[in-house]
Amino acid sequence: MIKELIVVEGKSDTVAIKRAVQADTIETGGSAVDRTVIAKITLAMERRGVIILTDPDHAGERIRKIVSAKVPGCKHAFIPEKDATRKGDIGVENASPEAIRHALENVHTSFEGAPILIGIEDLMEAGMLVNSNAAERRMALGDLLGIGYCNGKQLYKRLAMFGITREEFACALAQIDLGGSTS
């Protein structure tokens, strides 16, 4: 049984979570995230803690940002897009129980005001910005670090917010470069 409540988008996500682990969920009911849902999440945070596990798409990121802004200290779990896609549809409900368990085993806690360990120059040098393969490299990096896919500006913020060390960053880059799928 997972202690924290898991914030998901809808009922089909709850079904997928319950196939993978014993846990309670709070459904946002879409990307609007009204104040009653925020009140539930706030109470859950105070009593048990919260893990946000939304779809690896634009709407899921929007929900993640809204909830994080209104309820500080949430943990974040990410399922790579490739593991959450079935027949062109992206969502937690499409992820295997193994992918969901893996995401929940690798949660990150956001920490606003965290020190910058990896700078813009590091991202440029690593080919994560202003590079013909930057998006592909960011996706691979996000998958390896368990922080999800994001654009360059968000990557910079997430690396700090989740306290990714220079060593973790370098190790993930080495894996990307050895994999040969991106350059």
Side-chain angles (χ1 to χ4, degrees):
M1 175 75 178
I2 293 178
K3 175 188 162 224
E4 297 91 348
L5 274 92
I6 302 173
V7 174
V8 296
E9 295 179 45
K11 290 179 188 225
S12 55
D13 296 337
T14 291
V15 170
I17 297 294
K18 292 191 182 289
R19 276 194 318 256
V21 294
Q22 260 192 307
D24 296 317
T25 62
I26 296 175
E27 297 163 5
T28 64
S31 60
V33 193
D34 67 33
R35 61 189 159 109
T36 59
V37 172
I38 293 295
K40 284 182 198 173
I41 296 169
T42 301
L43 182 61
M45 185 66 184
E46 291 169 2
R47 305 233 170 145
R48 291 176 55 185
V50 169
I51 299 171
I52 302 171
L53 180 60
T54 54
D55 296 349
D57 61 9
H58 180 71
E61 281 303 310
R62 182 175 188 280
I63 292 167
R64 187 179 296 278
K65 285 179 188 174
I66 290 168
V67 173
S68 293
K70 303 228 184 235
V71 186
C74 292
K75 294 179 181 177
H76 297 264
F78 297 90
I79 298 174
E81 185 178 318
K82 66 179 173 35
D83 294 340
T85 303
R86 187 179 340 138
K87 296 180 183 174
D89 180 45
I90 300 171
V92 170
E93 72 273 11
N94 298 321
S96 69
E98 294 78 25
I100 292 169
R101 283 192 292 271
H102 181 72
L104 292 170
E105 288 166 1
N106 294 289
V107 297
H108 294 277
T109 303
S110 64
F111 172 57
E112 295 299 326
I116 304 297
L117 302 174
I118 298 153
I120 294 292
E121 304 78 26
D122 298 312
L123 295 178
M124 296 274 292
E125 189 176 307
M128 300 291 158
L129 308 171
V130 194
N131 178 309
S132 60
N133 295 324
E136 185 181 343
R137 290 179 65 78
R138 286 192 308 271
M139 183 173 286
L141 184 75
D143 290 351
L144 286 168
L145 294 174
I147 62 172
Y149 172 76
C150 47
N151 66 28
K153 184 177 176 183
Q154 274 302 118
L155 176 61
Y156 174 72
K157 288 180 182 178
R158 275 193 193 168
L159 291 170
M161 187 169 56
F162 295 134
I164 303 298
T165 65
R166 293 187 78 71
E167 293 77 23
E168 290 170 314
F169 182 71
C171 183
L173 283 180
Q175 283 185 267
I176 292 167
D177 293 337
L178 282 175
S181 63
T182 58
S183 56

